[in-house]
Amino acid sequence: MTPSRLPLSVTSPLLAALVLQACAPARMAVPKDVGTASDEIVVTDRSAMTGALADESFRMGTYQVVDVSRKWNSSSGASIGGFASGSTTGGYTFGLKAAGSEYKGKCASKLNEKSAAFLGGSFGKQNVTVLCECGGPASATLSLSADTTSRYRGTLSARNANYTVEGIYTDEAGGSRSTPLGYEVRGGDSVGAVEVAGKGRVWLNKSLDPDARADLACLFAGLLLYQPPQSKFDK
């Protein structure tokens, strides 16, 4: 029997499975040392909806992300790092509740773009910078940047320790993506990682104490809420 003559009862479930597979979001390829050295934290209740009327609260295991607001860049006098509210292309605030402590987080992004002439035509060049800060029992900061030719890289600082952060662009099937599916934090060895695609996942190194885990969880919440700024060259 040829595939075109398969009974509808057989082809329908197969077609449905293929459609679901095609529509499913890509999953991040988890670095091997992340999977073996870390606890995986399940992200739940994360909505795809954003904006003034959307409830963007969600949970990361025992951590609860609350009070998400995307009005930061319209707040008079607000600032983060070297960013003032008037110079950002996106800003947001949120809270993170951990066992026995609470954090206040804020993040902002800045997009610089310019056009350049080349061989009678023109091309766009852009640079994106993302900053996040979490204040609570301790202060933790994250800085990421990328330009037209490079991928997201940066630094993370928490409790007098400094780490590197790098975007992960490879999916589970081995394919390469143009935007990061997640980010990994390293301090020689892997410290943790966050998948921002789909529902999201978080990994925290088993050796981290509860305070350090909460610091990292707060900054990872900021990355889960991050939305790349709209480029004029994409319009």
Side-chain angles (χ1 to χ4, degrees), residues 39 58 66 176:
D39 295 317
F58 61 92
V66 298
S176 180

Side-chain angles (χ1 to χ4, degrees), residues 81-232:
F83 293 175
S85 58
S87 64
T88 62
T89 50
Y92 49 96
T93 60
F94 60 94
L96 181 128
K97 294 183 178 180
S101 61
E102 294 188 11
Y103 288 76
K104 296 293 185 182
K106 60 180 177 179
C107 301
S109 59
K110 188 174 183 179
L111 176 64
N112 291 321
E113 298 182 296
K114 62 180 180 179
S115 298
F118 182 71
L119 297 178
S122 63
F123 67 94
K125 183 176 182 181
Q126 54 184 288
N127 180 274
V128 180
T129 304
V130 184
L131 295 179
C132 285
E133 293 180 355
C134 283
S139 177
T141 62
L142 169 75
S143 175
L144 285 170
S145 62
D147 62 27
T148 307
T149 59
S150 69
R151 297 185 169 189
Y152 278 97
R153 291 182 174 87
T155 58
L156 185 153
S157 299
R159 299 183 188 267
N160 299 317
N162 297 312
Y163 308 99
T164 60
V165 186
E166 192 162 344
I168 298 175
Y169 293 78
T170 305
D171 61 33
E172 287 182 329
S176 180
R177 300 283 168 157
S178 60
T179 56
L181 297 170
Y183 303 86
E184 182 183 8
V185 178
R186 300 189 68 87
D189 296 326
S190 177
V191 177
V194 54
E195 179 185 56
V196 298
K199 294 182 178 180
R201 291 181 289 176
V202 167
W203 292 264
L204 299 174
N205 192 288
K206 299 177 188 291
S207 67
L208 294 174
D209 63 46
D211 291 336
R213 291 167 74 92
D215 295 343
L216 204 59
C218 184
L219 292 174
F220 280 170
L223 290 176
L224 283 162
L225 291 166
Y226 170 62
Q227 298 174 344
Q230 178 71 42
S231 169
K232 65 183 179 182

Side-chain angles (χ1 to χ4, degrees), residues 14-28:
L14 177 60
L15 179 61
L18 292 173
V19 170
L20 287 174
Q21 184 177 5
C23 295
R27 302 301 298 271
M28 179 186 87

Side-chain angles (χ1 to χ4, degrees), residues 29-70:
V30 183
K32 185 176 181 180
D33 55 349
V34 171
T36 56
S38 302
D39 295 317
E40 182 175 338
I41 311 299
V42 177
V43 176
T44 56
D45 303 326
R46 185 178 174 219
S47 173
M49 302 292 290
T50 64
L53 300 179
D55 181 4
E56 296 188 64
S57 301
F58 61 92
R59 300 187 70 93
M60 298 184 294
T62 59
Y63 305 107
Q64 186 174 4
V65 179
V66 298
D67 302 328
V68 179
S69 172
R70 296 192 181 272

